[in-house]
Amino acid sequence: MNREIVGILGWLPVYFVEAVCEHIAKNDAGHSYEHVFDVVQEANRLSGGDRNAILAAFMHDIACGINRDQHHQIGAELAEGLLEMYDIECDLDIVVKAVLEHRASWKAGYSSKVSEYVAAADRGVPDVDKHLKRSYLYAKSKLGKSHEQSVLHVFEHIREKFLENTPEAPEWYYEYYREEWAEMRRTLRSETLETTAKRMRFM
């Protein structure tokens, strides 16, 4: 962990952090420590250091290594169990629901500002290279695709996700990142399979 993450999570017992990290270690490369810690940092920034948001961000992907499609539901159950087992001081219901509601495919709305912060942090600052990299790592590590197959997966998936559709997010998210979102979509519209392959050549 880098110093910023240690500072953000420093109020949590070491044994709890280690228990959560054991689950994260089982995730595919697209949902690894790098992604989780990015979400923790962004949730901390967006929420002004709200500890419920930090907790939910830290645990939002703890079930990705168990079942990718249902990881939000399984993760909410795991989070509740861990928080109760280690007697972590928090608003349990708010944290657990934020884990449940974080996915880009979640369409049932958000039950609290904490859920909004975590969902927004999980979407992150719109950035083409970041999204392409995560998609590539997922295709390679989880789907077992070759480099060439992964590049094609990235090209098709990212265009479908961000051009043909719009990921679910809090209402304020797309206004907050209005310029970054517009720039990412402009870049993706001009993206070709060849340019995606060039971006991925060092993966």
Coordinates of all heavy atoms in Angstrom, one line a residue, residues 62-63 70-84 96 99-100:
I62 N -15.0 -7.0 -3.1 CA -14.5 -8.2 -2.3 C -15.0 -9.5 -2.8 O -14.4 -10.6 -2.5 CB -14.7 -8.1 -0.8 CG1 -16.2 -7.9 -0.5 CG2 -13.9 -7.0 -0.2 CD1 -16.4 -8.0 1.0
A63 N -16.1 -9.5 -3.6 CA -16.6 -10.8 -4.1 C -16.4 -11.1 -5.6 O -16.9 -12.0 -6.1 CB -18.1 -10.9 -3.8
Q70 N -22.5 -11.6 -9.9 CA -23.3 -11.4 -8.6 C -22.4 -10.8 -7.5 O -22.8 -10.8 -6.4 CB -23.9 -12.7 -8.1 CG -24.8 -13.4 -9.1 CD -26.0 -12.5 -9.5 OE1 -26.6 -11.8 -8.7 NE2 -26.4 -12.6 -10.8
H71 N -21.3 -10.2 -7.9 CA -20.3 -9.8 -6.9 C -20.9 -8.7 -6.0 O -20.4 -8.6 -4.8 CB -19.0 -9.4 -7.5 CG -18.9 -8.0 -8.1 ND1 -19.4 -7.7 -9.3 CD2 -18.5 -6.8 -7.5 CE1 -19.2 -6.4 -9.6 NE2 -18.6 -5.9 -8.5
H72 N -21.8 -7.9 -6.5 CA -22.3 -6.8 -5.7 C -23.2 -7.4 -4.6 O -23.2 -6.9 -3.4 CB -23.1 -5.8 -6.5 CG -24.2 -6.4 -7.3 ND1 -24.0 -7.4 -8.2 CD2 -25.5 -6.0 -7.4 CE1 -25.2 -7.7 -8.7 NE2 -26.1 -6.9 -8.2
Q73 N -24.0 -8.4 -4.9 CA -24.9 -9.0 -3.9 C -24.1 -9.9 -2.9 O -24.3 -9.7 -1.7 CB -25.9 -9.9 -4.6 CG -26.8 -9.1 -5.5 CD -27.7 -10.0 -6.4 OE1 -27.2 -11.0 -6.9 NE2 -28.9 -9.5 -6.8
I74 N -23.2 -10.7 -3.4 CA -22.4 -11.5 -2.5 C -21.5 -10.6 -1.7 O -21.2 -10.8 -0.5 CB -21.5 -12.5 -3.3 CG1 -22.4 -13.4 -4.1 CG2 -20.6 -13.3 -2.4 CD1 -21.7 -14.3 -5.1
G75 N -20.9 -9.6 -2.3 CA -20.0 -8.6 -1.6 C -20.7 -7.9 -0.5 O -20.1 -7.7 0.6
A76 N -22.0 -7.6 -0.7 CA -22.8 -6.9 0.4 C -22.9 -7.8 1.6 O -22.7 -7.4 2.8 CB -24.1 -6.5 -0.1
E77 N -23.1 -9.1 1.4 CA -23.3 -10.1 2.4 C -21.9 -10.3 3.1 O -21.8 -10.4 4.4 CB -23.8 -11.4 1.9 CG -25.2 -11.4 1.3 CD -25.6 -12.7 0.7 OE1 -24.9 -13.6 0.7 OE2 -26.7 -12.7 0.1
L78 N -20.9 -10.4 2.3 CA -19.5 -10.6 2.9 C -19.1 -9.3 3.8 O -18.6 -9.5 4.9 CB -18.5 -10.7 1.8 CG -18.3 -12.1 1.2 CD1 -17.3 -12.1 0.1 CD2 -17.7 -13.1 2.3
A79 N -19.4 -8.2 3.2 CA -19.1 -6.9 3.9 C -19.8 -6.9 5.3 O -19.2 -6.5 6.3 CB -19.5 -5.7 3.1
E80 N -21.1 -7.2 5.3 CA -21.8 -7.2 6.5 C -21.2 -8.2 7.5 O -21.0 -7.8 8.7 CB -23.3 -7.6 6.3 CG -24.2 -7.5 7.5 CD -25.6 -7.7 7.2 OE1 -26.0 -8.2 6.1 OE2 -26.4 -7.3 8.1
G81 N -20.9 -9.3 7.1 CA -20.3 -10.3 8.0 C -18.9 -9.9 8.5 O -18.7 -10.0 9.7
L82 N -18.1 -9.3 7.7 CA -16.8 -8.8 8.1 C -16.9 -7.7 9.1 O -16.2 -7.6 10.1 CB -15.9 -8.4 6.9 CG -15.4 -9.6 6.1 CD1 -14.8 -9.0 4.8 CD2 -14.3 -10.4 6.8
L83 N -17.8 -6.7 8.8 CA -17.9 -5.6 9.7 C -18.4 -6.0 11.1 O -18.0 -5.4 12.1 CB -18.9 -4.6 9.0 CG -18.3 -3.9 7.8 CD1 -19.4 -3.1 7.1 CD2 -17.2 -2.9 8.2
E84 N -19.3 -7.0 11.1 CA -19.9 -7.4 12.4 C -18.8 -8.3 13.1 O -18.7 -8.1 14.3 CB -21.2 -8.2 12.1 CG -22.3 -7.3 11.7 CD -23.6 -8.1 11.5 OE1 -23.5 -9.4 11.2 OE2 -24.7 -7.5 11.6
V96 N -23.2 -1.4 3.8 CA -23.6 -2.6 3.1 C -24.4 -2.3 1.9 O -24.1 -2.8 0.8 CB -24.4 -3.5 4.0 CG1 -25.0 -4.7 3.2 CG2 -23.5 -4.1 5.1
V99 N -22.1 -1.0 -0.9 CA -21.4 -2.1 -1.6 C -22.4 -2.7 -2.6 O -22.1 -3.0 -3.8 CB -20.9 -3.2 -0.6 CG1 -20.4 -4.4 -1.4 CG2 -19.9 -2.6 0.3
L100 N -23.7 -3.0 -2.2 CA -24.7 -3.5 -3.1 C -25.0 -2.7 -4.3 O -25.1 -3.2 -5.4 CB -26.0 -3.7 -2.3 CG -27.2 -4.2 -3.1 CD1 -27.0 -5.7 -3.6 CD2 -28.4 -4.2 -2.2

